[in-house]
């Protein structure tokens, strides 16, 4: 059976077990934290808190989280490895680039049709993360992550997505793409990937579960891709009861094999540092790692979703994605 790279090394895909397919350990803005983060960031406090939260998640029966934290979201693998050494949990990490629009200046002037020219540096970076490891750690990325947001496929986003597609075609590594469900940008991503030769069965349309438009969601699945029902707890985008009803409807129509589940949560996200953290907890009290197992799965069962279908979404589909 094939293996998948994790922070602790290769794992047989059959041993991934119950998997949440879109969770972050940390989401950070390093420049801000390094210059203004004294009151927000204490390394030892945050590491200890992460260990505690991930241990609680493991006690609920989750054995793997898939972490799409890439450049642009504060990816720092040594910190994640330190935490993972204290938690019996598989953490699968990604390569790619997170931006809603423009690429960093470091990349803007390099590559095809730029001032400096040359080969696409993003493809080279992504390939190195997959083949050699990230940042000298030897820890290898096992999937690719990009974004197609409300602004759609801008010039820079198109360039990023072509680099992701080229890396996928060369390596077979799967893709998770952040999309805007309200603007149904999953279609744009799938159109680009299809033309670029990507195997759409290896694509998760992230955040598609923010939508309750069954036609849109079925279209994603019918094209071969997987619906990312991966923002449970973010009720401002789609309340939990509606998310549950949508998944139950899709399962009743035979689409359980095309759905994965998660929260898009984190141990700490500095978007809500300081006083904003309390506001976030008031607005989004269920946006945490434990919401699916404590609240969502019972609600799905009440809506007629079977245990076999839940296993398909939490175990079988992630295994297939990484196989």
């Amino acid at each position: 059976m094939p293996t998948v790279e994790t922070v602790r090394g290769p794992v047989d895909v059959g041993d991934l077990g119950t998997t949440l397919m879109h969770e972050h350990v940390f989401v950070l803005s390093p420049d801000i934290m390094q210059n203004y983060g004294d009151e927000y960031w204490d390394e030892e406090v945050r590491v200890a808190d992460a260990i505690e939260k991930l241990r609680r998640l493991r006690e609920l029966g989750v054995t793997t989280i898939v972490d799409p934290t890439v450049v642009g979201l504060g990816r720092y693998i040594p910190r994640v490895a330190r935490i993972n050494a204290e938690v019996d949990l598989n953490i699968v990490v990604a390569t790619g680039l997170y931006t809603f629009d423009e690429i960093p200046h470091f990349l803007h002037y390099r590559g095809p049709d730029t001032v400096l020219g040359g080969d696409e540096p993003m493809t080279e970076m992504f390939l190195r993360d997959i083949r050699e490891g990230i940042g000298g750690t030897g820890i290898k990325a096992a999937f690719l992550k990009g974004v197609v947001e409300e602004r759609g496929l801008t010039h820079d986003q198109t360039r990023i997505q072509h680099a992701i597609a080229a890396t996928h075609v060369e390596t077979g590594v799967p893709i998770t793409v952040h999309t805007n469900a309200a603007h149904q940008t999953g279609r744009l991503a799938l159109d680009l990937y299809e033309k670029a030769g990507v195997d759409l069965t290896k694509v998760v349309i992230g955040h598609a579960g923010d939508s309750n438009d069954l036609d849109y969601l079925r279209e994603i699945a019918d094209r071969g891709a997987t619906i990312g029902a991966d923002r449970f707890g973010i009720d401002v985008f789609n309340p939990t009861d509606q998310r549950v009803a949508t998944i139950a409807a899709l399962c009743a129509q035979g689409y359980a094999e095309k759905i994965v589940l998660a929260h898009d949560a984190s141990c700490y996200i500095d978007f809500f540092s300081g006083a904003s953290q309390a506001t976030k907890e008031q607005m989004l009290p269920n946006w945490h790692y434990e919401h699916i197992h404590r609240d969502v799965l019972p609600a799905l069962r009440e809506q007629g979703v079977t245990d076999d279908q839940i296993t398909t979404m939490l175990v079988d589909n992630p295994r297939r994605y990484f196989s």
Side-chain angles (χ1 to χ4, degrees):
M1 190 170 281
T3 60
V4 58
E5 294 291 341
T6 77
V7 169
R8 298 186 298 180
V11 172
D12 191 307
V13 293
D15 294 332
L16 290 177
T18 298
T19 302
L20 298 179
M21 278 286 284
H22 194 120
E23 309 290 1
H24 302 271
V25 178
F26 294 115
V27 176
L28 301 171
S29 309
D31 287 355
I32 300 293
M33 288 297 104
Q34 288 166 12
N35 288 279
Y36 307 106
D38 290 350
E39 62 181 296
Y40 306 129
W41 182 263
D42 182 312
E43 180 81 10
E44 297 308 312
V45 168
R46 297 270 64 91
V47 166
D49 179 66
I51 290 169
E52 178 185 352
K53 287 174 178 172
L54 291 171
R55 282 177 175 169
R56 289 206 308 264
L57 179 62
R58 182 66 184 86
E59 289 169 1
L60 286 174
V62 174
T63 48
T64 302
I65 62 169
V66 177
D67 183 347
T69 307
V70 292
V71 171
L73 288 171
R75 183 184 70 176
Y76 185 57
I77 296 300
R79 182 184 293 121
V80 177
R82 178 187 173 192
I83 291 163
N84 204 178
E86 303 298 324
V87 184
D88 184 20
L89 184 76
N90 301 314
I91 302 177
V92 182
V93 296
T95 186
L97 183 65
Y98 185 94
T99 176
F100 278 19
D101 195 349
E102 296 181 353
I103 58 176
H105 293 300
F106 175 85
L107 297 165
H108 180 79
Y109 297 102
R110 310 166 192 246
D113 301 320
T114 67
V115 172
L116 298 178
D119 295 332
E120 178 55 74
M122 284 185 283
T123 306
E124 296 171 2
M125 292 160 63
F126 302 161
L127 288 171
R128 185 173 70 180
D129 284 353
I130 292 164
R131 291 173 170 165
E132 300 175 22
I134 299 168
T137 64
I139 295 168
K140 297 177 180 178
F143 69 111
L144 291 143
K145 165 72 176 297
V147 175
V148 183
E149 245 298 331
E150 179 179 350
R151 301 179 188 114
L153 285 168
T154 64
H155 176 271
D156 282 359
Q157 284 293 18
T158 300
R159 184 178 161 192
I160 295 165
Q161 295 303 332
H162 277 297
I164 286 172
T167 305
H168 162 85
V169 169
E170 185 164 340
T171 64
V173 166
I175 299 168
T176 289
V177 55
H178 166 119
T179 64
N180 186 304
H183 293 268
Q184 300 188 343
T185 60
R187 286 196 184 100
L188 299 177
L190 290 177
D191 288 346
L192 184 149
Y193 292 153
E194 190 169 40
K195 291 177 182 176
V198 169
D199 177 358
L200 298 188
T201 68
K202 293 299 183 181
V203 176
V204 170
I205 299 300
H207 313 329
D210 287 351
S211 174
N212 300 307
D213 184 333
L214 293 178
D215 289 338
Y216 173 59
L217 298 174
R218 285 190 295 256
E219 178 185 340
I220 290 169
D222 290 342
R223 294 184 68 176
T226 298
I227 298 162
D230 52 21
R231 274 183 164 174
F232 273 101
I234 310 184
D235 288 348
V236 293
F237 291 154
N238 193 7
T240 295
D241 60 344
Q242 293 184 35
R243 293 180 190 270
V244 166
T246 295
I247 292 175
L250 289 169
C251 286
Q253 295 169 21
Y255 285 95
E257 293 184 355
K258 290 295 183 179
I259 302 170
V260 291
L261 306 178
H263 308 89
D264 194 15
S266 55
C267 297
Y268 182 80
I269 176 171
D270 70 9
F271 298 2
F272 305 100
S273 297
S276 298
Q277 180 71 19
T279 303
K280 172 241 180 185
E281 291 173 358
Q282 290 173 0
M283 290 179 59
L284 302 170
N286 293 318
W287 192 28
H288 55 77
Y289 295 141
E290 301 177 32
H291 180 44
I292 286 175
H293 275 73
R294 295 195 183 280
D295 307 310
V296 174
L297 297 185
L300 286 170
R301 291 184 178 103
E302 289 179 4
Q303 292 279 334
V305 178
T306 68
D307 285 342
D308 284 347
Q309 289 171 324
I310 289 171
T311 299
T312 294
M313 292 185 284
L314 286 174
V315 179
D316 300 337
N317 295 344
R319 182 178 63 223
R320 189 181 307 113
Y321 175 78
F322 285 112
S323 294

